[in-house]
Amino acid sequence: MSNNLQFLTQDQIDQFHRDGYLLIPNFLSRDDIQEMMTRSKQLLEDFTLEGHPMTKFTTGDSTQDKHVGDDYFLNSGDKIRYFLEEDAVGPDGKLNRPKELAVNKIGHALHELDPTFRRITLQNERLKALAKDLQFHKDPEVLQSMLIFKQPEIGGKGMPRISLGLLPLGEHNDSTFLYTNPPSALGFWFALEDCTPTNGALSFLPGSHKTTQLKSRFVRLPQGGTGFEPLPNATEEAPASEPNEKNDKYIQPPCPAGTLVLIHGSVLHKSEKNTSSKTRYAYTFHMIESEPYAQYDEKNWLQPTKEMPFSKLFAVHA
């Protein structure tokens, strides 16, 4: 296999399968970063509150300020929509800071609708070569693209980073939120700025994709809204390690701007609140296996539409 590799080395592939994640420094060129940052700031500048439901971006357990049942969120899979930081809206329902500092993320069809992010995602020959080398999928489909803004001194904890953004507890894996049978989610996370321990860098529990069982999936509920549904074959596990003991095993690797992070759908990872005075911009999307190799669950919160089915990576040309 290694003789046919186009982009990755065999050591990188082995590291991904061992740890459940892989950092590839300098995947984005300086020009790529500048173009993506410029476009990100332009999208923020173009954001208007007119007609916006002031949706806060949180999936905590409390019913207060919950938005996950909001049509604005559930119907965003084929659109470019704006989601606000949990702390950015005051008790009066109005923004308590400039709009550029209030947006938590933009999603979820940037890879389809925005030329800059479409080029980086679907028209990127280096990324296609990487996907072929990794052989994680036979025929990958691309979905759920997002710009995530960890705003200075407000940017929330990343749980789940992939689809929903904010939860009081940061630890999660991505296959819970983009469930396929068998599980096949793979995250592509691009650092557009240097990620540090104080501005919300990602951290991982190495090898947890081999030991952590998927117990539930995040679904659309029949009565409306969303929630977690137990998986039928989930079994009871031994008691987990003490929180402090598990946290000691987490690794927060250096992640300078331009780095691509590959994230196995079952590996546990998290990011903390941005307590710094600097932003932390990132772009992310996911791949899943297509049929007949895997089935995308019809209960998942994100659903393809007739107008915009999930794009097959190897079928899109520049």
Side-chain angles (χ1 to χ4, degrees):
M1 173 182 170
S2 58
N3 293 332
N4 299 320
L5 297 177
Q6 303 177 60
F7 186 85
L8 295 173
T9 66
Q10 189 60 50
D11 285 345
Q12 287 176 312
I13 295 171
D14 293 343
Q15 181 181 347
F16 171 79
H17 288 294
R18 181 188 71 233
D19 296 338
Y21 66 94
L22 177 69
L23 278 74
I24 305 174
N26 301 314
F27 185 90
L28 298 176
S29 68
R30 291 185 178 181
D31 288 344
D32 288 336
I33 296 171
Q34 182 176 358
E35 179 184 351
M36 295 168 78
M37 285 293 294
T38 299
R39 182 57 182 147
S40 299
K41 292 177 180 178
Q42 183 180 7
L43 286 167
L44 287 173
E45 184 177 342
D46 293 344
F47 172 51
T48 175
L49 287 176
E50 184 177 352
H52 190 276
M54 302 289 282
T55 299
K56 299 178 188 179
F57 195 52
T58 177
T59 59
D61 293 332
S62 66
T63 57
Q64 184 179 6
D65 296 332
K66 218 173 190 181
H67 93 282
V68 290
D70 189 351
D71 286 344
Y72 185 84
F73 168 70
L74 289 175
N75 296 327
S76 63
D78 58 355
K79 301 175 182 68
I80 297 177
R81 286 185 166 175
Y82 295 77
F83 301 89
L84 305 181
E85 287 282 1
E86 184 177 13
D87 301 329
V89 180
D92 59 356
K94 297 180 180 180
L95 292 180
N96 54 25
R97 64 201 63 221
K99 65 178 183 180
E100 292 82 4
L101 297 177
V103 176
N104 170 272
K105 77 165 187 173
I106 300 174
H108 290 96
L110 290 159
H111 65 291
E112 292 280 7
L113 301 176
D114 188 275
T116 292
F117 295 102
R118 182 177 177 86
R119 180 183 68 80
I120 293 295
T121 310
L122 296 175
Q123 299 172 331
N124 191 331
E125 294 305 317
R126 295 171 73 240
L127 190 141
K128 292 179 182 181
L130 182 158
K132 289 179 180 178
D133 287 350
L134 193 62
Q135 294 189 10
F136 195 81
H137 304 113
K138 293 182 175 66
D139 189 13
E141 293 181 326
V142 180
L143 67 163
Q144 196 193 40
S145 54
M146 299 174 284
L147 280 166
I148 301 177
F149 309 101
K150 286 261 186 173
Q151 302 291 3
E153 300 177 352
I154 182 175
K157 289 185 178 181
M159 167 56 178
R161 170 195 54 73
I162 109 151
S163 62
L164 311 175
L166 305 176
L167 272 183
L169 297 177
E171 184 179 77
H172 70 286
N173 56 38
D174 291 353
S175 285
T176 298
F177 299 91
L178 293 176
Y179 182 75
T180 62
N181 184 18
S184 65
L186 176 66
F188 289 71
W189 195 97
F190 300 83
L192 303 186
E193 298 182 292
D194 292 342
C195 302
T196 69
T198 58
N199 75 355
L202 295 175
S203 57
F204 299 88
L205 190 60
S208 55
H209 61 302
K210 299 179 180 180
T211 60
T212 303
Q213 182 187 40
L214 290 177
K215 291 186 175 182
S216 62
R217 55 190 170 189
F218 189 72
V219 301
R220 296 187 179 210
L221 298 174
Q223 66 270 30
T226 53
F228 291 93
E229 178 182 89
L231 289 171
N233 296 326
T235 59
E236 291 295 326
E237 294 181 350
S241 303
E242 291 296 325
N244 289 340
E245 180 181 341
K246 180 183 284 189
N247 287 336
D248 289 342
K249 296 179 181 179
Y250 262 86
I251 293 177
Q252 188 177 72
C255 189
T259 300
L260 166 60
V261 187
L262 299 178
I263 306 174
H264 190 290
S266 295
V267 75
L268 294 174
H269 58 288
K270 59 184 179 179
S271 66
E272 299 300 327
K273 216 165 188 178
N274 183 357
T275 59
S276 76
S277 60
K278 298 179 180 180
T279 57
R280 193 224 68 184
Y281 283 27
Y283 172 64
T284 182
F285 63 88
H286 285 79
M287 292 185 193
I288 56 170
E289 185 64 274
S290 61
E291 293 187 350
Y293 308 107
Q295 289 186 322
Y296 186 76
D297 200 288
E298 62 183 9
K299 295 181 179 180
N300 285 338
W301 78 269
L302 177 64
Q303 291 295 322
T305 62
K306 181 179 179 181
E307 297 74 20
M308 191 179 291
F310 298 151
S311 290
K312 293 196 174 186
L313 178 69
F314 299 138
V316 178
H317 303 286

